[in-house]
Amino acid sequence: MVFSQKLPRTWSAGSDRTLHSLLQYLECRFGVLTRVLCSLAFSVQMVLYMGIVLYAPAIALSTVTGISLWLSVLLVGLVCTFYSTLGGMKAVLVTDVFQTLLMFAAIFAVIAVGCVKMGGPAEVWRIADDGGRIQFFNFSPDPTERHTVWSLAVGGIFIYLSLYAVNQAQVQRLLTIGRLRRSQLALWLQWPILTLLSLSTSFAGLVIYAFYHGCDPFLAGKVQLPDQLLPRFVMDTMRDIPGLPGLFVAGIFSGSLSTVSSAVNSLAAVTVHDYVRMVPCWSQQPEEWELPLTKLLSLGYGLLCLAVSYVVSKLGKSVLTASLTIFGAVGGPLLGVFTLGMAVPCANQRGAVTGLLLGLALTLWIGFAPKPAPVALPVSSDLCYNGTHVAGVVVPDYEGIDDGTDDNSTAVLLGTASPLQASEKYFYLYRISYMWISMIGFAVTCAAGGLASLVGPRDPAVPHSLLSPPVAWLLRRWGSQEPSPSRAKLNSDAPTVELELFEAKTRL
């Protein structure tokens, strides 16, 4: 499915300088207060997310090498902070290319080794299908079910829109390209690459299940967190293959470093242009001082994410669930504010601020409230004996494990005798799948913002250049006159600025 979302881009008259913060559009459309509030929301979102993605490779490194978990966190954080601070956005873009190649190499190595040991992809698929892990056609309309076609296809739309259309870390990459057509081409090229990565990581999960289907590592006490399954699989299958464990660690590190480095630089840019430049005594300072200040801020944010990683380790959620919860809780309302600005001509700052605050309050409440444990599928430990072979594969030696189950050694991981009954004790909103949080925040922000904009005095007409092209076209068809372009100024340090809006087409 193709979505078009306008992204603001400014060009100073007579220069090639582009905007540094996506949120400058909100100041032009609504006002300074909307920009500052959205900037604060984005900063909190990215700081929390950095802690999560820094914690993930530390788990892998600790499991594979045996070194302390927190030493792993410290090493990853310091390395990423070092090259992000010294190299800036250019270092981020250059390293992203090599890190992407390493990520794919690591995932393909896991799939290849696993398929060879299990007897081929067909055998992996058969085992996963027999275990109930292949669920393509769950059309249940119940929003409390964790994953359904609707939660992934509809809820996922809003998550990815918030990631690719109104996220500073993503937009900053596009702006570095320098040309509209190249930015659009970059997004189109990203679609098949992202699809391939998603499909390959999903199949890697099926490979891991097939390998452990008769001897679950949780029941055997070999892992305590879902995020430790992949590193455990690498050590059980690749430890005797020279170079592959190291390739895996490099691939996991690459994914984390790529994300954290771009987040650090985007946070530094937002801090300089959305906070520091707002202070009167700093607004007229020359641009030469921005570079050292940005590097200092990058260092500070890098060290901050080390502290957040410690908090993340205490949340008890998987890395994927925690990251999508954060992006949904903050990204949904932010997407709603941008949609109000681009698609609702009558929306004003009063409505944008009201919608944003209500949307954030609701989504943060739902996202981080106590939730019932997810209903898990059955797992088995009946093959956890030394030397047992399954499909020609030596099962890991978990001999002597007492999992407290019956003779069939089958249990439900993280479940209870009646998990559905246990979940019904929780408030209904707490049971809603995390995949719906972004859409809920978007809907509440748009609805509350639209209603609040209709209350009280009306603002002057909005320049058509600040609206989505289809909306501007409709206004012209209905005879609406283009207002004065005097509002099309984004900041005080660019007194003569032309606002150029372009469509960035994003494919899921």
Side-chain angles (χ1 to χ4, degrees), residues 271-286:
T271 302
V272 170
H273 295 278
D274 289 355
Y275 306 144
V276 179
R277 279 292 188 183
M278 294 291 184
V279 180
C281 62
W282 289 97
S283 60
Q284 302 301 325
Q285 294 295 324

Side-chain angles (χ1 to χ4, degrees), residues 159-447:
I159 291 178
Y160 274 87
L161 271 179
S162 65
L163 285 173
Y164 288 94
V166 296
N167 186 277
Q168 170 68 18
Q170 176 69 20
V171 174
Q172 191 169 345
R173 285 188 173 105
L174 297 176
L175 293 175
T176 59
I177 298 176
R179 294 184 181 179
L180 168 60
R181 294 302 178 188
R182 290 183 178 180
S183 298
Q184 292 174 327
L185 178 61
L187 281 174
W188 283 101
L189 291 177
Q190 188 179 17
W191 161 58
I193 296 174
L194 179 63
T195 301
L196 178 60
L197 181 62
S198 298
L199 292 176
S200 58
T201 50
S202 298
F203 191 76
L206 297 183
V207 170
I208 295 172
Y209 169 75
F211 184 78
Y212 290 120
H213 77 282
C215 187
D216 184 75
F218 281 95
L219 297 181
K222 296 300 180 180
V223 297
Q224 287 74 45
L225 297 172
D227 304 306
Q228 294 175 325
L229 275 173
L230 181 57
R232 183 72 207 186
F233 173 82
V234 171
M235 293 308 297
D236 286 340
T237 59
M238 301 183 185
R239 67 174 70 193
D240 297 328
I241 305 176
L244 282 189
L247 176 64
F248 164 76
V249 173
I252 298 298
F253 268 63
S254 296
S256 176
L257 294 176
S258 172
T259 303
V260 174
S261 59
S262 61
V264 165
N265 278 275
S266 63
L267 282 171
V270 165
T271 302
V272 170
H273 295 278
D274 289 355
Y275 306 144
V276 179
R277 279 292 188 183
M278 294 291 184
V279 180
C281 62
W282 289 97
S283 60
Q284 302 301 325
Q285 294 295 324
E287 291 188 357
E288 287 74 14
W289 63 269
E290 289 186 6
L291 181 60
L293 178 59
T294 301
K295 291 182 179 295
L296 184 62
L297 289 170
S298 297
L299 176 62
Y301 278 119
L303 297 178
L304 178 61
C305 76
L306 290 174
V308 176
S309 294
Y310 176 79
V311 179
V312 169
S313 67
K314 305 299 181 182
L315 292 178
K317 292 185 177 182
S318 73
V319 170
L320 178 62
T321 301
S323 60
L324 290 181
T325 299
I326 291 174
F327 272 116
V330 181
L334 286 180
L335 178 64
V337 172
F338 275 91
T339 302
L340 282 173
M342 297 177 182
V344 184
C346 65
N348 53 31
Q349 178 159 259
R350 180 176 58 255
V353 171
T354 301
L356 175 67
L357 295 179
L358 289 177
L360 285 175
L362 180 61
T363 54
L364 291 174
W365 172 44
I366 296 175
F368 294 98
K371 295 183 179 296
V375 179
L377 296 172
V379 293
S380 173
S381 62
D382 56 354
L383 298 179
C384 291
Y385 301 103
N386 188 21
T388 302
H389 288 67
V390 178
V393 182
V394 178
V395 178
D397 182 7
Y398 302 156
E399 186 177 11
I401 295 298
D402 182 10
D403 52 40
T405 59
D406 56 18
D407 292 339
N408 292 327
S409 298
T410 301
V412 177
L413 180 61
L414 299 177
T416 62
S418 54
L420 292 177
Q421 295 179 1
S423 66
E424 291 176 355
K425 298 179 181 179
Y426 289 79
F427 181 53
Y428 183 79
L429 289 179
Y430 298 168
R431 292 184 278 129
I432 291 180
S433 170
Y434 68 95
M435 294 296 298
W436 292 108
I437 294 178
S438 181
M439 192 191 76
I440 293 174
F442 171 83
V444 170
T445 300
C446 289

